[in-house]
Amino acid sequence: MVCGLTSCLGSGAAGGLFSSAVQFFAATQCLVGETWPKDSVLQNGSRYDFIIVGAGTAGSALAARLSEVANFSVLLLEAGGDPPIEAIIPAFRETLKASSVDWNFTSVENNITSQALKRGIEQQPRGKMLGGSGSLNHMVYARGFPSDYHEWASIAGETWNWTNVLKYFMKTEHMTDTNIVNNPELMVYHGRGGAIEVSGTNEVMFSIKKFLQAFEELGFKTVPDMTYPNSIGAGCFSHTIRNGERDSSLRALLNNANSTSLHILKDTFVTKIIIENGTAIGIEAVKDDKTFLFYADREVILSAGTFNTPKLLMPSGVGRSEHLRSLGIDVVADLPVGSNLHDHAMVLAFLVADNGTCVSDEAENSMEAIKYLYDRTGFLAKADNMAAYLPLSSSEPTVPEFALYPTCIPQFSPFRSGCLTLGLNEDLCTELHNLNQEYELVTIAAVLLKPKSRGKVELNSINPFDDPLIYAGTFSEEQDLDHFPRLIKMAWSIADTNYFRSKNARVIKPWVEACSNLTESAWIKCMSRAMVTSAWHSVGTAAMGTVVDGDLKVLGINGLRVVDASVMPKIIRGNTNAPVVMIAEIAADLIKEHYSVSRTGTNLNNMTIGNLTASSMPNISQPNINLADVIENNDMINSSLIEVEITNVEIITTTDRQSDIDDTVNVA
């Protein structure tokens, strides 16, 4: 006979109490969730001021900010659907990779690098759902460092300098990490009251404490804030977690957007940008096997990500002419779309150690589930990522060039499935799995933060549903590889620190056939070339300075912008999610400023139209100027040169003259 719940607990007061508790926890799992934005009901051929392609980190933030303007109508299109419950619970972040909510991109095998990975390719997980990769990443809050943005400013203008981007980081941020909040020196660089919570934890895992001790022994300073621009070392990251749940631009901004002029379509695959006479006027998309056309009266904005943004630009005629013509695509703008692909290069080092550092068992996991259901605390509510930053030289001690990210894997863990998801080959995963039956595993990701190597993204075919060809280009510049002997040896040295020595930690050198019979440094370089993979922070395929300008407008095409990680001309030193939110925040302000001509309460004090200035225009500083009359009565005006800076006067137009202004006025 199977013992039922009532008979197990008894029928007395204790039985009733415990039975009620079990029923309570069974019911609370239904409370873990979110009410996601609903699909709008739209007519084929509908028109909007702005069409945003991609509801990922950038698209969600940008759509929410543009919807703040009452007279902006916005259509946001997303290829995926709603995130699953695992996207909310921080500890389940790894389960979403290689799933149905992942684009499951991979690099093209080149027979040179990554040969110890399965099929010789790098995995490139990207979120295919509302929130995009911001719904499956590790929630690490990193910004990069001032020198990263000095580089951007030198390429794309002072909008992107450190002082300016810092204001936008702080605008979105609600810092609650007490290690930072209670330190006035650190809080100078952080915001309070922004939309996205950036939190910490006072309950640092035992394994993290031991890693921090090990790095201190190795000469690293322990730092309380991994984003602090004036000092680097080893420390715990803050994370975008609010009340034990993932926080993101989707949850904090898009889900809280309250505008009837914001329209959202999920499970909608955009196949092409419609460009006529050098102007983007709309998009073509497929939903439920039906083709739709939607039109943009102001702009089409691509926020599809580093791989999908070039994949949309190229079939629309925007890209490298040689590549487009090889596929029979008419060239609209010859730009290096897809070039400049780069990412942090990552190589894993492995240790084994006796048990006791990262203990976990089923009973503990069950208790953690109860804790989480009860009050959103415990292991499931956290993400305890940490790192140690290393400079290239002592001459720039606050500029990291490398990072080490240690992870502790308990004995008997389901490591094999994660190993295969990461892309390591079957033999290596089997070797590590077998060791994990006897020991705990320590993996240390050794990461080059500022690679010189570059790859590219190309079209596989003219079929819009084919994945793009991703040529990672990792270690195409040999000097990137030259750093890894130092970096891997530093990772191995953790085994020689006091605590890990007491756990009999030892280095595991994976067998790589091509690397046998080499000296240690030569072996490390050979192994690194064979095992290198992406850190999943790819950027640069529609870069500022070559594909878009400093306002993120696509060069040579009117009404088309890009707002996502692809615009980064050079990768930042750190995780890229928070910088992508910052890019979207700046883009929103650039767009609002650009279209201030359409709002009331503006002033034309600093206006230049062709050869005219404000002083040469009759009554230009007075309210209720009919700008159409000014334009029509001045033949000195070249419509392609019109620039307007507006601050405080109402523009009045007549219905039959509006098209004159739309065609002639470009607000800079």
Side-chain angles (χ1 to χ4, degrees):
M1 171 179 169
V2 177
C3 181
L5 179 63
T6 303
S7 60
C8 284
L9 298 175
S11 58
L17 174 64
F18 292 136
S19 177
S20 297
V22 170
Q23 291 172 14
F24 166 76
F25 284 114
T28 53
Q29 64 181 315
C30 300
L31 301 178
V32 181
E34 182 88 357
T35 302
W36 304 112
K38 305 261 184 221
D39 253 355
S40 300
V41 178
L42 306 176
Q43 294 293 319
N44 200 349
S46 299
R47 308 189 72 89
Y48 307 89
D49 288 317
F50 301 95
I51 296 176
I52 301 173
V53 180
T57 296
S60 292
L62 182 61
R65 292 306 192 195
L66 292 185
S67 72
E68 294 170 349
V69 180
N71 63 336
F72 280 178
S73 60
V74 180
L75 173 61
L76 177 63
L77 302 166
E78 168 54 41
D82 293 337
I85 190 173
E86 290 82 3
I88 295 173
I89 304 172
F92 284 105
R93 56 195 176 274
E94 293 294 349
T95 66
L96 299 175
K97 298 178 180 69
S99 73
S100 61
V101 294
D102 182 356
W103 283 94
N104 290 301
F105 291 139
T106 60
S107 66
V108 175
E109 206 274 342
N110 64 9
N111 296 308
I112 300 171
T113 57
S114 306
Q115 295 304 291
L117 303 186
K118 191 175 181 179
R119 303 197 312 276
I121 59 177
E122 299 180 18
Q123 303 297 313
Q124 290 285 359
R126 291 296 184 279
K128 186 180 182 182
M129 56 185 142
L130 289 177
S133 297
S135 290
L136 59 67
N137 67 2
H138 283 210
M139 297 157 285
V140 169
Y141 187 77
R143 296 169 167 175
F145 288 80
S147 55
D148 297 321
Y149 300 103
H150 296 332
E151 288 182 326
W152 289 20
S154 70
I155 293 167
E158 293 307 311
T159 297
W160 303 100
N161 67 35
W162 167 247
T163 302
N164 194 54
V165 302
L166 178 61
K167 291 186 294 186
Y168 284 92
F169 280 120
M170 294 171 69
K171 173 184 177 180
T172 318
E173 180 185 28
H174 177 51
M175 172 56 72
T176 62
D177 188 335
T178 55
N179 294 313
I180 297 171
V181 170
N182 295 330
N183 187 326
E185 181 183 354
L186 300 179
M187 277 305 293
V188 169
Y189 297 94
H190 291 283
R192 294 275 287 176
I196 299 176
E197 181 161 346
V198 180
S199 61
T201 177
N202 293 322
E203 301 173 5
V204 178
M205 291 173 62
F206 180 77
S207 59
I208 299 294
K209 291 178 182 177
K210 294 307 173 186
F211 286 135
L212 288 172
Q213 289 176 11
F215 282 118
E216 280 188 358
E217 284 185 50
L218 296 173
F220 290 81
K221 178 170 67 174
T222 299
V223 295
D225 181 1
M226 293 294 283
T227 70
Y228 185 55
N230 300 325
S231 179
I232 64 172
C236 296
F237 289 103
S238 304
H239 293 84
T240 52
I241 296 174
R242 181 189 297 269
N243 298 326
E245 297 182 348
R246 178 189 294 272
D247 211 11
S248 64
S249 59
L250 166 63
R251 300 194 77 199
L253 287 166
L254 186 64
N255 253 20
N256 291 312
N258 185 19
S259 172
T260 57
S261 61
L262 173 59
H263 309 275
I264 298 172
L265 278 186
K266 298 174 282 191
D267 299 303
T268 304
F269 192 97
V270 176
T271 57
K272 190 176 183 181
I273 309 157
I274 304 169
I275 300 175
E276 291 185 358
N277 300 318
T279 298
I281 64 167
I283 59 90
E284 178 182 284
V286 174
K287 181 177 174 63
D288 299 329
D289 297 323
K290 298 177 183 176
T291 299
F292 291 82
L293 300 178
F294 297 112
Y295 297 97
D297 290 332
R298 297 181 190 261
E299 293 187 15
V300 173
I301 303 168
L302 300 186
S303 295
T306 295
F307 301 128
N308 277 326
T309 282
K311 181 175 172 280
L312 270 172
L313 286 168
M314 289 186 281
S316 308
V318 182
R320 290 176 288 111
S321 58
E322 181 181 0
H323 177 53
L324 300 188
R325 289 186 179 119
S326 72
L327 293 169
I329 299 169
D330 292 336
V331 179
V332 176
D334 184 5
L335 298 172
V337 171
S339 301
N340 192 47
L341 172 67
H342 57 297
D343 194 350
H344 300 135
M346 180 173 75
V347 177
L348 294 180
F350 301 97
L351 311 177
V352 293
D354 293 342
N355 292 334
T357 308
C358 44
V359 177
S360 178
D361 59 39
E362 287 303 315
E364 181 180 328
N365 289 342
S366 298
M367 185 56 67
E368 291 296 339
I370 291 172
K371 273 192 205 174
Y372 189 81
L373 290 173
Y374 179 64
D375 62 2
R376 300 296 188 272
T377 62
F379 173 77
L380 295 178
K382 294 190 230 175
D384 271 344
N385 299 85
M386 67 150 296
Y389 285 147
L390 295 79
L392 179 63
S393 67
S394 58
S395 63
E396 292 185 296
T398 63
V399 180
E401 291 292 316
F402 317 101
L404 298 173
Y405 301 85
T407 302
C408 198
I409 301 169
Q411 186 185 16
F412 304 123
S413 74
F415 172 75
R416 182 178 175 78
S417 60
C419 181
L420 293 172
T421 299
L422 186 63
L424 303 184
N425 66 35
E426 294 270 2
D427 291 343
L428 179 55
C429 288
T430 299
E431 177 186 355
L432 294 170
H433 170 78
N434 291 339
L435 286 166
N436 189 225
Q437 303 312 294
E438 187 174 354
Y439 303 101
E440 293 181 341
L441 293 177
V442 174
T443 65
I444 305 107
V447 178
L448 174 62
L449 297 175
K450 209 68 178 174
K452 292 182 169 53
S453 299
R454 295 293 186 268
K456 62 182 178 180
V457 174
E458 292 188 340
L459 293 177
N460 196 357
S461 72
I462 59 172
N463 183 344
F465 297 99
D466 283 350
D467 285 347
L469 298 174
I470 300 169
Y471 298 93
T474 315
F475 292 153
S476 57
E477 293 289 338
E478 188 74 17
Q479 57 187 305
D480 286 346
L481 184 59
D482 290 342
H483 299 298
F484 275 84
R486 171 197 173 197
L487 202 51
I488 296 296
K489 288 177 184 178
M490 179 67 74
W492 286 346
S493 66
I494 290 174
D496 294 326
T497 58
N498 289 331
Y499 173 79
F500 285 98
R501 196 161 49 239
S502 76
K503 289 295 181 181
N504 298 309
R506 58 187 173 89
V507 171
I508 297 299
K509 294 183 178 180
W511 168 252
V512 180
E513 184 176 359
C515 303
S516 57
N517 302 318
L518 295 175
T519 63
E520 185 171 76
S521 290
W523 181 89
I524 293 173
K525 288 182 71 171
C526 180
M527 179 276 298
S528 297
R529 191 191 300 275
M531 290 190 60
V532 69
T533 189
S534 163
W536 306 334
H537 301 146
S538 296
V539 305
T541 52
M544 286 188 279
T546 58
V547 176
V548 300
D549 64 15
D551 289 343
L552 308 182
K553 299 175 186 176
V554 175
L555 299 172
I557 304 292
N558 296 318
L560 183 60
R561 286 189 212 239
V562 177
V563 181
D564 58 31
S566 70
V567 304
M568 296 187 189
K570 294 188 177 183
I571 198 166
I572 56 98
R573 294 168 169 88
N575 301 58
T576 51
N577 186 262
V580 169
V581 176
M582 173 272 293
I583 289 169
E585 290 279 20
I586 289 180
D589 276 2
L590 290 171
I591 291 166
K592 290 174 181 178
E593 179 183 352
H594 183 87
Y595 291 100
S596 59
V597 69
S598 65
R599 294 184 233 162
T600 60
T602 53
N603 189 315
L604 304 174
N605 287 338
N606 301 313
M607 179 173 180
T608 304
I609 300 184
N611 296 321
L612 296 179
T613 63
S615 60
S616 64
M617 296 182 195
N619 300 318
I620 196 67
S621 62
Q622 300 301 314
N624 302 339
I625 292 294
N626 189 326
L627 186 56
D629 287 335
V630 175
I631 294 173
E632 185 176 271
N633 295 328
N634 286 276
D635 56 12
M636 292 183 292
I637 297 174
N638 179 335
S639 63
S640 66
L641 296 177
I642 295 177
E643 296 181 349
V644 184
E645 237 183 287
I646 302 184
T647 54
N648 222 354
V649 105
E650 182 175 3
I651 297 176
I652 301 209
T653 65
T654 57
T655 302
D656 60 346
R657 306 294 288 284
Q658 181 66 53
S659 60
D660 295 333
I661 295 178
D662 289 342
D663 290 342
T664 9
V665 177
N666 171 36
V667 182

